[in-house]
């Protein structure tokens, strides 16, 4: 009886709020791809500063990770909105999972190869016959296309989520994200001028990474809520970039709660690099939050050439544009 009375009270409060012009907040569960870190600062800041509530949303941020792929969580219905790499979402869509991109947050790929100049590596062709550490799955698509483009046959070595093998000269080049592993290598005592950095985006292989996705059914039920999340998240990112120390404070608190090792200097570097890859430069011709057709086609065609998808899904069905919410 107490439970019934409580539900009745909630219903009465909701009706009263509506009557007085206060619309109840729409509940949304959001899952990023990984544990809390500055890579996702915009979402946590939007939550902590009340930006989501301002846009009519009651957002709950779930914790992602290696054993909680955001695409699978969305597919199961355990979250409403998620952050997913474009290449992952394209493969899922090609396999019948009705994922829809509602915003492309990261405009420039941060994936890179890091090599030591002392190993004689200064240009792509110098990777011929060298030991190169590569991660698996989606992380291999760009480097393999890169090798193919420059007719390089490298000795691929499986890489863990550590750069220790590179630091100990076990490989000549290693995979890294600009906002993460690259900085870890610098912190290990190697100077930037001792390294050769191959950004795939600089070699015609820009694969935009973190995007915001929903299941098609969820989008059809409430496109306004999905677009409100996009608008609020973009505002959260702008706030984080304008107030970096506050944003880092937020992330360090969440990282501590999740028992994730935290380092303020590293999180500051990560946030600065996220700004570099999220905010489009004038020469990019991109708009914050929008998936560029040429980027979509580039990723789709490389996936097809690699045999990872049969056909490139129709972009009009794959991407939903909340035009009135995105800003330059």
């Amino acid at each position: 009886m107490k439970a019934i009375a409580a539900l009745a009270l909630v219903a009465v409060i909701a009706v009263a709020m509506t009557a007085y012009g206060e619309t109840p907040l729409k509940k949304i569960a959001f899952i990023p791809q990984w544990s809390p870190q500055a890579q996702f600062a915009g979402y946590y800041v939007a939550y902590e500063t009340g930006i989501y509530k301002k846009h009519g949303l009651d957002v709950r941020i779930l914790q992602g990770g290696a054993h909680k792929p955001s695409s699978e969580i969305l597919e199961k219905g355990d979250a409403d909105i998620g952050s997913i790499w474009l290449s992952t979402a394209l493969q899922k869509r090609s396999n019948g999972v009705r994922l829809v991109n509602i915003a492309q947050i990261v405009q420039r790929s941060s994936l890179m190869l890091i090599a030591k100049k002392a190993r004689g590596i200064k240009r792509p062709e110098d990777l011929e016959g060298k030991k190169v550490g590569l991660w698996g799955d989606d992380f291999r698509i760009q480097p393999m296309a890169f090798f193919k483009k420059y007719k390089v046959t490298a000795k691929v070595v499986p890489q863990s989520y550590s750069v220790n093998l590179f630091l100990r000269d076990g490989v000549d080049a290693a995979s890294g994200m600009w906002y993460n592993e690259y900085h870890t290598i610098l912190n290990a005592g190697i100077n930037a001028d001792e390294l050769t950095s191959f950004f795939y985006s600089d070699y015609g292989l820009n694969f935009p990474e973190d995007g915001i996705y929903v299941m098609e059914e969820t989008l059809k039920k409430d496109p306004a809520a999905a677009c409100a999340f996009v608008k609020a998240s973009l505002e959260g990112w702008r706030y984080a970039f304008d107030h970096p120390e506050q944003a880092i404070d937020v992330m360090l608190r969440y990282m501590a709660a999740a028992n994730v090792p935290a380092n303020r200097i590293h999180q500051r570097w990560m946030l600065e690099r996220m700004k570099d890859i999220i905010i489009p430069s004038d020469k990019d011709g991109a708009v914050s939050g929008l998936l560029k057709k040429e980027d979509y086609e580039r990723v789709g065609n490389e996936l097809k050439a690699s045999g990872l998808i049969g056909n490139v899904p129709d972009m009009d069905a794959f991407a939903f544009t909340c035009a009135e919410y995105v800003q330059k």
Side-chain angles (χ1 to χ4, degrees):
M1 292 297 292
K2 289 183 179 180
I4 295 175
L7 288 173
L9 179 59
V10 170
V12 169
I13 292 173
V15 170
M17 289 174 64
T18 303
Y20 284 97
E22 294 186 35
T23 304
L25 299 177
K26 295 180 179 179
K27 294 183 179 296
I28 285 180
F30 168 71
I31 183 164
Q33 308 104 285
W34 204 250
S35 304
Q37 59 180 6
Q39 179 186 356
F40 310 109
Y43 309 109
Y44 287 93
V45 167
Y47 175 82
E48 286 290 323
T49 58
I51 292 174
Y52 284 130
K53 286 187 176 180
K54 183 182 73 173
H55 290 279
L57 304 175
D58 178 9
V59 173
R60 180 165 56 101
I61 302 179
L62 309 177
Q63 185 172 324
H67 303 296
K68 297 179 182 178
S70 52
S71 59
E72 293 182 12
I73 300 297
L74 281 184
E75 190 177 353
K76 292 176 182 176
D78 293 335
D80 305 296
I81 298 178
S83 176
I84 306 173
W85 273 29
L86 175 58
S87 54
T88 301
L90 264 168
Q91 290 177 74
K92 288 282 186 179
R93 181 83 190 198
S94 180
N95 289 329
V97 180
R98 309 295 286 181
L99 283 172
V100 179
N101 176 299
I102 56 174
Q104 186 58 48
I105 300 301
V106 169
Q107 298 284 338
R108 174 189 167 192
S109 173
S110 186
L111 187 61
M112 61 191 297
L113 273 183
I114 308 159
K116 294 178 182 176
K117 290 180 180 177
R119 294 299 185 97
I121 302 172
K122 297 181 180 180
R123 57 196 185 110
E125 292 82 358
D126 294 333
L127 291 165
E128 177 66 34
K130 301 292 187 180
K131 292 181 180 179
V132 180
L134 296 184
W135 292 316
D137 302 323
D138 288 359
F139 295 100
R140 289 205 177 194
I141 302 169
Q142 282 164 284
M144 298 311 291
F146 180 68
F147 296 154
K148 182 179 179 181
K149 182 173 183 177
Y150 289 94
K151 298 180 175 60
V152 166
T153 302
K155 297 176 182 177
V156 174
V157 177
Q159 180 175 317
S160 68
Y161 289 94
S162 165
V163 292
N164 288 340
L165 193 61
F166 176 77
L167 295 174
R168 295 170 183 168
D169 291 328
V171 292
D172 303 297
S175 295
M177 303 303 291
W178 188 26
Y179 53 74
N180 200 350
E181 287 77 15
Y182 179 74
H183 190 244
T184 299
I185 290 172
L186 296 182
N187 281 339
I190 299 179
N191 295 324
D193 60 8
E194 297 178 78
L195 300 170
T196 298
S197 300
F198 298 107
F199 287 95
Y200 299 119
S201 58
D202 291 338
Y203 292 88
L205 293 167
N206 185 47
F207 282 29
E209 292 146 1
D210 303 10
I212 300 177
Y213 290 84
V214 297
M215 295 297 293
E216 195 173 77
E217 182 180 357
T218 302
L219 179 62
K220 288 180 178 179
K221 286 181 180 178
D222 199 342
C227 287
F229 183 86
V230 169
K231 182 179 181 180
S233 297
L234 288 171
E235 187 175 332
W237 276 113
R238 289 192 293 272
Y239 187 97
F241 296 145
D242 289 340
H243 306 83
E245 295 307 314
Q246 181 182 346
I248 294 167
D249 286 339
V250 168
M251 295 318 306
L252 291 176
R253 190 166 68 251
Y254 275 93
M255 292 175 75
N259 295 315
V260 175
N263 178 297
R264 188 177 194 89
I265 294 174
H266 185 59
Q267 292 305 305
R268 184 182 292 116
W269 169 277
M270 187 176 291
L271 184 62
E272 290 171 352
R273 300 293 75 76
M274 292 307 294
K275 183 177 181 179
D276 291 331
I277 62 177
I278 287 175
I279 303 299
S281 66
D282 293 336
K283 65 179 181 179
D284 290 337
V287 177
S288 293
L290 283 180
L291 175 59
K292 292 171 61 178
K293 184 177 181 180
E294 53 263 46
D295 286 337
Y296 177 82
E297 292 178 345
R298 180 185 308 110
V299 177
N301 289 334
E302 284 296 339
L303 289 173
K304 184 177 179 180
S306 300
L308 295 172
I309 63 174
N311 292 301
V312 180
D314 177 33
M315 184 175 176
D316 290 336
F318 179 84
F320 180 86
T321 303
C322 297
E324 67 271 33
Y325 297 120
V326 294
Q327 301 177 10
K328 292 185 178 180

